[in-house]
Amino acid sequence: MTFAVEVVVVLKPVVNDPQGLVVRDGLHRLGFPEVRAVRVGKHLELEIEGDDEASVRAQVEAMCERLLRNTVIEDSRIGSISVLSGSAM
Amino acid sequence: MTFAVEVVVVLKPVVNDPQGLVVRDGLHRLGFPEVRAVRVGKHLELEIEGDDEASVRAQVEAMCERLLRNTVIEDSRIGSISVLSGSAM
């Protein structure tokens, strides 16, 4: 089966986010003073072959540790897992 | 009230994503051959003052059109809106 997996990678709360500050200031200048804070992270959409959701989830968690996130400054979470196509046979 | 709003900005399906190709190839090399495709987008967390969810949603949609997404090559969607703090008075 093919699964679609969403992974969100965000800076840890204690890590400064200069990109977010720039976006916030830009929004203030464009007439959105109600914006208090912005933090910018990454959103990854993966298409993965797998047998079941549990094994796919475990694989994606391993990918996060190996490549997708910088474990020193970033947290990651799996947003959603859905079946794209295929049967269990 | 203060609302927490998640915005996801992704490349339109017809737009090439070289960054996603590099991540996919990296995962293949690290021993994850089951990854078929990767697309990389942005995940923004906004803290916004507002009266109610409907007005906050409208404001964030305006921000997406003005700054947060490149309307030529990117799509955006609001992932979630939740109340962080405050009362309706």
Side-chain angles (χ1 to χ4, degrees), chain A residues 25-87:
Chain A
D25 293 350
L27 289 171
H28 286 176
R29 256 179 247 114
L30 286 172
F32 299 104
E34 65 273 25
V35 179
R36 275 244 187 121
V38 178
R39 286 182 79 80
V40 180
K42 275 170 277 184
H43 177 267
L44 299 132
E45 295 172 342
L46 310 172
E47 282 182 35
I48 301 176
E49 296 291 325
D51 295 328
D52 55 63
E53 188 181 314
S55 66
V56 168
R57 183 180 290 273
Q59 282 292 79
V60 173
E61 279 168 3
M63 293 175 203
C64 287
E65 297 306 304
R66 292 289 305 280
L67 180 71
L68 301 182
R69 77 179 176 114
N70 177 335
T71 55
V72 177
I73 58 168
E74 290 176 325
D75 288 325
S76 64
R77 63 174 185 273
I78 295 174
S80 72
I81 299 182
S82 57
V83 177
L84 266 185
S85 66
S87 66

Side-chain angles (χ1 to χ4, degrees), chain B residues 31-70:
Chain B
F32 299 103
E34 67 273 26
V35 178
R36 276 245 187 119
V38 178
R39 287 183 78 80
V40 180
K42 275 170 276 182
H43 177 267
L44 299 130
E45 295 172 341
L46 309 173
E47 282 181 34
I48 300 176
E49 297 289 326
D51 295 329
D52 55 62
E53 186 179 316
S55 66
V56 167
R57 184 180 290 274
Q59 282 292 80
V60 172
E61 279 168 3
M63 292 175 203
C64 287
E65 296 307 302
R66 292 290 304 280
L67 180 70
L68 301 182
R69 78 180 176 112
N70 179 335

